[in-house]
Amino acid sequence: MNENEKKESGKELGIQQLLAIILRKGWIIMLVGILCAGITFAGTYYLITPKYQSSTMFYVNNSNLNLDSLTSGDLVAAQELVESYIVILESRETLLEIKDYAGVDRSVSELQGMITAASVNSTEIFRVVVTSPDPQEAHDIANAIAEILPKRISTIIDGTSAKVVDHPIVANSPSSPSYVVNTLVGFALGFLCASAVFVLREVFDLIIRTEEDVQRSCDHPVLAAVPDMNAPSKGGYYERDKKRRSNPLADKETVLVGSGISFAASEAYKLLRTKLQFSFVDENDCHIIGISSAMAGEGKSLSSVNLAYSLAQLEKRVLLIDCDMRRPSLNTKLPIQKTPGLSNYLTRQVQLDKLMQNYTSGQTNFDVIAAGRNPPNPIELLSSQRMQELLSQLRGTYDYIILDLPPVGEVSDALVAAKLVDGILLVVRQNYCDRRALSEATSQFSFVDGRVLGVVFNCTVESSFRYKSYRYYKRYYHRYEGSYSRAARAAQQKEQE
C-alpha cells in the first residue's frame, strides 16, 4: 500500500468513527434537533411579523426603435432603459406622488425600503414588488406605482413609455416568514450543533468513558466490566445485602471484597475468571497473573483481591502477593498484617514459611503474601534472582498466583515483573483513566514483550436496563435454587418414610 492509499484509508476510518459517534448518540441528537425545531417554530409564530407582497409589471416601450430591423444593440438599449426607469421609481418626487396617491402614512425612506424593482430574466419587462405587514397597504402602494410611474417616465424621457403588463392584487397569504422552512432550518441547526458537540468531545476529551474508548486506545479486549460498588443502588444495579436494607440498624458500609459484594460485581469477576481460564489452555499447571494499571487509583488492588477470591471459589489453590512495595494496600483491604512480607523475604530477613497469611470468607479461602516494609529499591528486589526462585518454588504449590503490581504509568516495577508472569491484566477505571496513559502503558508492556491478556473495565456505571436484567436473573436463580431445595427435601423425606 502506497502513502496515498494509507492516507485515504485513514480518512475513511476517521469518517466511520464520526458516523459511529453520531449513531451512538443519535437519540440525543434527534431530541436536540426536534427541540430546536419547536423553538424556531414558536419564535417564528410569536415574534416575527408576517409580511405580504403585491406586485405589478411594466413593459419598456422605446418609440425610437425600428421594430422591422431590431439589432442586439437595440435590445441592450431597451434593457438599459429598465435601469433608468427603476432609478426614476426610487426618486424622491416619484415616491412622494405614490405616497399621496396611495394615501399611506409612510416616510419617503420607509416607502423606499418597502419597494424593490428588477428586470425579469434580463428582458425589457421589469417587476415592482411592494412588501408590507398590511396586505391592503401593499396593494394600494403597488396600484399607485402602476398609475404614477408611466406618467413620470413619459415626462422625463422623450420617446419612451412604460406600459402595465400585470396589475397588482391583494395578497391572501403572507410571503414571509415560511413556517416550514424556518422549522426545518431550526431542526438542521440543532442536529448539526449537537453532532458537533459530541464529535468535538470525542476528539478533545481523552478520558475513557466507554468500552469503545478502551478498544480505540489499545488492541486488547475488555474481559469484564466491573460496576462501581460504591455507587448508590437507586438508579443503578449496585445492591446492598437484603438483611442490611431490611434492618435500619445494620452496618451501611458497602462490602467490596469477598462474598458480600454486589451480585453484578460478583458476576463480572466470574466472567473474568472464566475468560482467564480459556486464556491458559494447554499451558503450565500454575498460572502467574500480574495485575497493573496505567494510573494510580484505578482499583487494581481491589480487582486482585476479588479475582483471587473468585478463583478460590472453584476450589483452586490461590496465592495473592502484594508486589506494590512502594504503596502497598492489600493489608488495608484484607485482615492481614503488612509485615513480614515480600520485601522482608527478598532481603533475606525471614523465611518463606513466615510470609504466608490466609484469608477466609465462608467456605472460600486463599493465601496472601503482604508487601512488607517499604524498601528503598523495590525495582531491584522484583528483578532479583531470589524473586524468580520464589515464584518457581511457589508454582509447585498453587494453581494460580496473582501479583498485585504498581501502576505502569507511575513506576517501572510492573515492566520488570512482566517477565516473571504468564500474563498481565490492565485495570482501567471508567471516567478516570486517560486514553494516552492507557495507550502508553500497553506500548511499554509490548516493548518488554509482556503478554497483556486484556482489560478489566472498572467502576463502570451501567444502564438501568442491565440493572433490571441482573435483578431479574438473580431472582430467577434464587427461585430455582429454592424450588430445587424444596424438591430435594421432599424426596429425602419420602425415602425416610
Side-chain angles (χ1 to χ4, degrees), residues 59-60 62 65 72-83 85 123-125:
Y59 172 73
V60 174
N62 189 351
L65 295 179
S72 60
D74 295 332
L75 295 178
V76 171
Q79 293 171 4
E80 290 177 350
L81 281 176
V82 172
E83 301 297 329
Y85 289 175
T123 63
E124 298 85 1
I125 297 175

Side-chain angles (χ1 to χ4, degrees), residues 14 16-26 29 195 198-200 202-203 216:
Q16 291 175 359
Q17 290 178 350
L18 294 180
L19 291 176
I21 296 168
I22 294 174
L23 290 175
R24 190 167 62 247
K25 302 294 184 179
I29 295 174
S195 301
F198 285 114
V199 169
L200 290 175
E202 190 76 15
V203 171
R216 281 195 292 270

Side-chain angles (χ1 to χ4, degrees), residues 487-497:
R489 287 195 300 268
Q492 185 177 7
Q493 290 177 359
K494 188 175 181 180
E495 290 179 359
Q496 292 176 354
E497 293 175 356

